[in-house]
Structure formats: C-alpha cells, structure tokens
C-alpha cells in the first residue's frame, strides 16, 4: 500500500519561502508514476490543485501559484518537492501530497501539512 509522508510546513511571514517534501513508500520507484503533486485546502474552500508532475515530464500549476511555486522530483529518493516563494496570506492552507500510479487509479493521499502565512 502506498504511503506518502509530507514535511516542511509551518508559519512564515508574507513574502517568505517554504519547501514542502513528500516521500513515497510501499511501492517501487516513482519514476513510472502517472502523476504526483500537491493540492491544498483552505478553511471553507474546496480542495484545489497546486502543482503536479504527469508522466514525469508534464508540469501543471494552479493559476494562483504559477510563477511563485516550483514542483520537482527526485526519483532516487522517491520524493516530490514544492518550493514556495513569495508566499501570501491567501496561500494559507493544508497542503496534501497525492500520487496516482496509473491514469485509471484513484489518488493516494498524504496526511496533509499546514502552511500558515501571517505577520
């Protein structure tokens, strides 16, 4: 069973940076994973896509983070990263890592990590 362990969340001031990590276990290499990335959910809002890597080559970003966030992966470490720069209060949310092993499978989810952007 796939397990996803997230880390890197916390409290940061507006304009600051954080890097989230998500390490997959209970499976082989993420090299051939169909999709892996991040969603987030703020209080009272729906979960939204932040960034994803599809088939190892196609990268998608949510409109609100494009140009500020960068997703990357290290297949040797079975880890995907989310570098978040120029953070704003509206980026405050619980960030969830997801992994989809093939296009027909449902997502596996991490437990979530809180990111709070505040003075």
């Amino acid at each position: 069973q796939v397990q996803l362990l997230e880390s890197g969340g916390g409290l940061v001031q507006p304009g600051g940076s954080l890097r989230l990590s998500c390490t997959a276990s209970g499976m082989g290499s993420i090299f051939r994973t169909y999709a892996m990335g991040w969603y987030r959910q703020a209080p009272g809002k729906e979960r939204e896509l932040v960034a994803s890597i599809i088939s190892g080559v196609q990268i998608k970003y949510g409109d609100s983070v494009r140009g500020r966030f960068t997703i990357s992966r290290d297949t040797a470490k079975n880890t995907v990263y989310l570098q978040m720069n120029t953070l704003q209060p509206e980026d405050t949310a619980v960030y969830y890592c997801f992994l989809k092993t093939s296009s027909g499978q449902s997502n596996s989810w991490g437990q979530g990590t809180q990111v709070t952007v505040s003075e």
Side-chain angles (χ1 to χ4, degrees):
Q1 183 175 355
V2 175
Q3 293 185 322
L4 302 174
L5 180 62
E6 300 138 329
S7 62
L11 173 65
V12 64
Q13 292 185 335
S17 298
L18 284 174
R19 189 177 79 155
L20 305 183
S21 301
C22 174
T23 300
S25 61
M27 58 177 287
S29 171
I30 64 171
F31 179 78
R32 296 189 182 278
T33 297
Y34 174 71
M36 194 169 179
W38 300 87
Y39 278 75
R40 69 185 182 186
Q41 188 166 19
K45 295 187 177 181
E46 294 186 355
R47 191 171 292 193
E48 65 172 349
L49 175 70
V50 178
S52 64
I53 299 176
I54 300 171
S55 299
V57 294
Q58 182 182 1
I59 293 179
K60 297 178 67 174
Y61 291 102
D63 290 340
S64 61
V65 307
R66 190 175 292 112
R68 299 187 298 123
F69 291 9
T70 303
I71 189 170
S72 63
R73 70 176 191 173
D74 185 336
T75 56
K77 296 181 178 180
N78 257 25
T79 298
V80 66
Y81 303 97
L82 184 69
Q83 178 66 43
M84 306 185 293
N85 298 329
T86 320
L87 283 160
Q88 301 301 318
E90 51 266 34
D91 295 316
T92 296
V94 178
Y95 285 69
Y96 295 93
C97 177
F98 80 93
L99 183 150
K100 186 188 293 286
T101 55
S102 63
S103 60
Q105 295 294 318
S106 57
N107 290 345
S108 296
W109 295 95
Q111 80 285 356
T113 185
Q114 176 70 46
V115 172
T116 302
V117 185
S118 179
E119 295 285 356

